[in-house]
Amino acid sequence: MLSRKNGINYYQNAKDDEKVKNVYAGIDIGGTTVKMALIDEEGTIFDKWEIPTDKRESGKHILRDIAASLHQATGRLHNVHHILGAGVGAPGYIDVENGVIVEAVNLGWKNVAVSAELGEALGVPVFADNDANLAAAGEKWKGAGGDADNLLAVTLGTGVGGGIIAGGEILHGYAGLAGEIGHITVLKEGGAPCNCGKQGCLETVSSATGIARMAKEALNQFDGESELKNIQTANGTIEAKDVFAEAAKGDELASSIVRESMDHLGFTLANLCNSLNPQVVVIGGGVSKAGEQLLEAMRGSFTRFSIPKIAQETEIKIATLGNDAGVIGAAWLAKQKLITPEASR
Amino acid sequence: MLSRKNGINYYQNAKDDEKVKNVYAGIDIGGTTVKMALIDEEGTIFDKWEIPTDKRESGKHILRDIAASLHQATGRLHNVHHILGAGVGAPGYIDVENGVIVEAVNLGWKNVAVSAELGEALGVPVFADNDANLAAAGEKWKGAGGDADNLLAVTLGTGVGGGIIAGGEILHGYAGLAGEIGHITVLKEGGAPCNCGKQGCLETVSSATGIARMAKEALNQFDGESELKNIQTANGTIEAKDVFAEAAKGDELASSIVRESMDHLGFTLANLCNSLNPQVVVIGGGVSKAGEQLLEAMRGSFTRFSIPKIAQETEIKIATLGNDAGVIGAAWLAKQKLITPEASR
């Protein structure tokens, strides 16, 4: 099926003058959809699509669906793409070395050998890592990270996730928990309880959920005038984006919540930078849509709590890839593992 | 001068039946003395000694003195040791890739090309890194670290230093500042000023200097009975070891200072472990002589502020190598670079 000429792979059934493009498959498995893309060696997405995540029967159909969809996609592309390998991101605890998803509660998975099973179905090497780590790698490679070898990514969404790239590689730590920066304690006393089992985590004050909770609590104890209160009355609830929007318009209550939340974020990022010295910090997730408003609100606290050289030199940026970060990071993983085998240690 | 037989290096002037042992030179340059050792591939010290650090004329004699001393030592050992390479630790900012000490204020050095100059004098490859990083590597290899690939070392001395080993390698960060955990902010408000330019750093409350300062400040405002006060009157000052000693005997004032200092240490280490997930944390430096008393005082805070899985699984240990950590870590560096060339990226 495949021939080689001048170092380039050609499919026999491709037109003679048609160059076959080498690509990596980037796969980002979420609880609702599986995002997939074919990505070339420069990180350009050639094709992307998604399929629903079939969680029935402990998620046993997911890998088969992914393989079928990829086969269909490469067919649709008239075989002009040659898949060199695939990277897979999944939520949960991953045995990176063996490509096994030890546990992914959202998918119903326990001990799923992604690299072995999908590798056999696709006929190419498959590598797996945590989805937050791969989103960090995506932003590093083609997003706001500017291909920095030392980068810290934080995702402010429903929760707070993160990934650390150091010396060009994803940090995993002893049990794969490295990068779980959402559970850094920021409130030593009186913090809200967190899903992780402790309290006062960054996630309780800087996630979308945490910001909304703080707004609701503040409104419960607030007798004055605030547009936030009107929004709560009209919508029956308050979301983080409302808090940022009203703060931008000058609402004092909303501003105080943004200040408090971003003070904790700045404190946490400063201390991480003091100890890890990344070149770039990339802030993503839904809350990061506040953009410059968010950066401005956290910059004072970041500067105040950073070693002066760190405060001066660390670039803090808003993520640029959105939902594509995961598939691009997954392709980066496959490329990195296939090009530098020692990186797979 | 050198012959090879059965894969073993022999010196011609060694006795025929005398096996020449391969060793690494570990060199730890401090402001007062240079510690040196010959260390075999298993990390055993065969010989160690020190020479004064000659800081005259911007430290221009230091490298020559080191080379002369090493030549003398290998002569003293009747040429039965064959030096494969050397590692050098120095205080300050190091360009690790090129082996250049960019600045070491304590030595009077600016842009000293240690790898090139000492490499030429010794005729073997020479590698350099920050002394705190190499102390961490020493404890990892032969000390309390049990050769863990993911390890955090903290040194509680005059200041607070640290080193991070992740995935088996020393983390440097973008500008070589990774591991500077002494400047993590622990007091957001009202902290004491730190040498780094900000305030409320871990160093201000958990170094020997910081603990002594806290004791003196507490005594200034204290009217009751405390053995600490008697010690201050008798000695004219208070040292950290007095605080730990009196706390161990039940002195309430001393105990409250130990509690406060170790609460901050536990908080900091918990947050570092939450984000880096090391297998082992090794605590060294003069303050660590308090041993089990220190561990006990910080454990509550560490557990309270750690993700439950981290609290359960992370081993916290007192360093075991003392002043040898630096030379052993320096030998580890040389061994690692020579055995795995890709690690020198």
Side-chain angles (χ1 to χ4, degrees), chain A residues 14-211:
Chain A
K15 286 183 201 141
D16 263 3
D17 59 348
E18 204 165 38
K19 189 173 138 186
V20 172
K21 184 111 192 159
N22 286 329
V23 294
Y24 301 95
I27 302 161
D28 184 8
I29 308 179
T32 312
T33 61
V34 179
K35 295 182 179 61
M36 282 183 271
L38 297 178
I39 295 170
D40 75 4
E41 293 175 290
E42 280 71 49
T44 305
I45 294 181
F46 270 74
D47 194 17
K48 68 172 177 175
W49 68 98
E50 55 186 64
I51 59 173
T53 306
D54 182 353
K55 291 191 284 190
R56 291 172 305 151
E57 297 174 82
S58 303
K60 66 185 279 197
H61 307 289
I62 299 175
L63 291 180
R64 204 189 51 196
D65 290 353
I66 291 172
S69 180
L70 266 169
H71 281 308
Q72 203 178 18
T74 48
R76 187 170 76 231
L77 293 161
H78 310 293
N79 282 340
V80 295
H81 289 58
H82 172 227
I83 298 180
L84 296 173
V88 177
Y93 172 43
I94 323 275
D95 171 356
V96 171
E97 207 170 316
N98 298 304
V100 174
I101 316 299
V102 178
E103 184 160 22
V105 176
N106 281 352
L107 309 176
W109 279 4
K110 270 203 172 180
N111 293 313
V112 175
V114 164
S115 291
E117 291 182 31
L118 202 55
E120 192 172 342
L122 298 177
V124 295
V126 174
F127 307 93
D129 208 321
N130 177 273
D131 54 357
N133 287 342
L134 294 187
E139 286 291 341
K140 162 205 159 51
W141 191 25
K142 299 307 292 182
D147 216 14
D149 270 348
N150 292 281
L151 175 143
L152 172 65
V154 52
T155 305
L156 309 174
T158 311
V160 172
I164 302 167
I165 312 275
E169 293 188 28
I170 295 169
L171 288 200
H172 293 104
Y174 177 55
L177 293 175
E180 286 285 350
I181 65 180
H183 302 291
I184 286 178
T185 304
V186 296
L187 282 161
K188 291 177 82 173
E189 306 287 344
C194 183
N195 291 329
C196 79
K198 59 188 190 73
Q199 53 190 38
C201 296
L202 179 65
E203 180 161 304
T204 67
V205 291
S206 296
S207 65
T209 322
I211 292 168

Side-chain angles (χ1 to χ4, degrees), chain A residues 174-175 179 188 263 275 277 304, chain B residues 174-175 179 185 188 275 277 304:
Chain A
Y174 177 55
K188 291 177 82 173
D263 173 75
S275 36
N277 186 203
R304 183 169 161 216
Chain B
Y174 177 55
T185 304
K188 292 176 81 174
S275 35
N277 186 205
R304 182 170 161 215

Side-chain angles (χ1 to χ4, degrees), chain A residues 150 164 166-167 169 171-181 183-185 187-189 196-198 263-264 267 271-272 274-279 304-310 313 342 345, chain B residues 150 164 166-167 169 171-181 183-185 187-189 196-198 263-264 267 271-272 274-279 304-310 313 342 345:
Chain A
N150 292 281
I164 302 167
E169 293 188 28
L171 288 200
H172 293 104
Y174 177 55
L177 293 175
E180 286 285 350
I181 65 180
H183 302 291
I184 286 178
T185 304
L187 282 161
K188 291 177 82 173
E189 306 287 344
C196 79
K198 59 188 190 73
D263 173 75
H264 290 307
F267 173 75
N271 278 343
L272 283 168
N274 288 339
S275 36
L276 292 170
N277 186 203
Q279 181 179 0
R304 183 169 161 216
F305 299 124
S306 294
I307 297 171
K309 189 176 160 74
I310 297 279
E313 295 184 1
E342 83 277 7
R345 274 171 305 159
Chain B
N150 292 282
I164 301 168
E169 292 188 30
L171 288 201
H172 293 104
Y174 177 55
L177 293 175
E180 286 285 350
I181 65 180
H183 302 290
I184 286 178
T185 304
L187 282 161
K188 292 176 81 174
E189 306 288 343
C196 78
K198 58 187 189 77
D263 174 74
H264 290 307
F267 174 75
N271 278 343
L272 284 168
N274 288 339
S275 35
L276 292 170
N277 186 205
Q279 181 179 359
R304 182 170 161 215
F305 299 125
S306 294
I307 296 171
K309 188 176 160 73
I310 298 279
E313 294 184 1
E342 84 275 10
R345 274 172 306 158

Side-chain angles (χ1 to χ4, degrees), chain A residues 206-237:
Chain A
S206 296
S207 65
T209 322
I211 292 168
R213 176 191 58 78
M214 286 160 73
K216 287 171 203 160
E217 286 178 8
L219 282 170
N220 279 345
Q221 310 198 326
F222 182 72
D223 286 332
E225 282 298 308
S226 167
E227 184 57 24
L228 267 194
K229 190 169 263 179
N230 304 335
I231 291 172
Q232 190 181 34
T233 308
N235 299 350
T237 190

Side-chain angles (χ1 to χ4, degrees), chain A residues 222-276:
Chain A
F222 182 72
D223 286 332
E225 282 298 308
S226 167
E227 184 57 24
L228 267 194
K229 190 169 263 179
N230 304 335
I231 291 172
Q232 190 181 34
T233 308
N235 299 350
T237 190
I238 288 281
E239 294 182 43
K241 64 183 178 194
D242 303 322
V243 180
F244 274 98
E246 294 311 314
K249 291 182 205 155
D251 183 272
E252 190 38 53
L253 186 73
S255 296
S256 73
I257 290 158
V258 167
R259 268 199 306 276
E260 186 182 342
S261 170
M262 291 301 112
D263 173 75
H264 290 307
L265 181 65
F267 173 75
T268 306
L269 293 180
N271 278 343
L272 283 168
C273 291
N274 288 339
S275 36
L276 292 170

Side-chain angles (χ1 to χ4, degrees), chain B residues 254-275:
Chain B
S255 296
S256 74
I257 290 157
V258 167
R259 268 198 305 274
E260 186 181 343
S261 171
M262 292 300 113
D263 174 74
H264 290 307
L265 182 65
F267 174 75
T268 306
L269 294 181
N271 278 343
L272 284 168
C273 291
N274 288 339
S275 35

Side-chain angles (χ1 to χ4, degrees), chain B residues 124-210:
Chain B
V124 295
V126 174
F127 308 93
D129 208 319
N130 176 273
D131 55 356
N133 287 342
L134 294 188
E139 286 291 341
K140 162 205 157 54
W141 191 25
K142 300 306 292 183
D147 215 14
D149 270 347
N150 292 282
L151 174 142
L152 172 65
V154 52
T155 305
L156 309 174
T158 311
V160 171
I164 301 168
I165 312 275
E169 292 188 30
I170 295 169
L171 288 201
H172 293 104
Y174 177 55
L177 293 175
E180 286 285 350
I181 65 180
H183 302 290
I184 286 178
T185 304
V186 297
L187 282 161
K188 292 176 81 174
E189 306 288 343
C194 182
N195 292 329
C196 78
K198 58 187 189 77
Q199 52 189 38
C201 296
L202 179 66
E203 180 161 305
T204 67
V205 291
S206 297
S207 64
T209 322

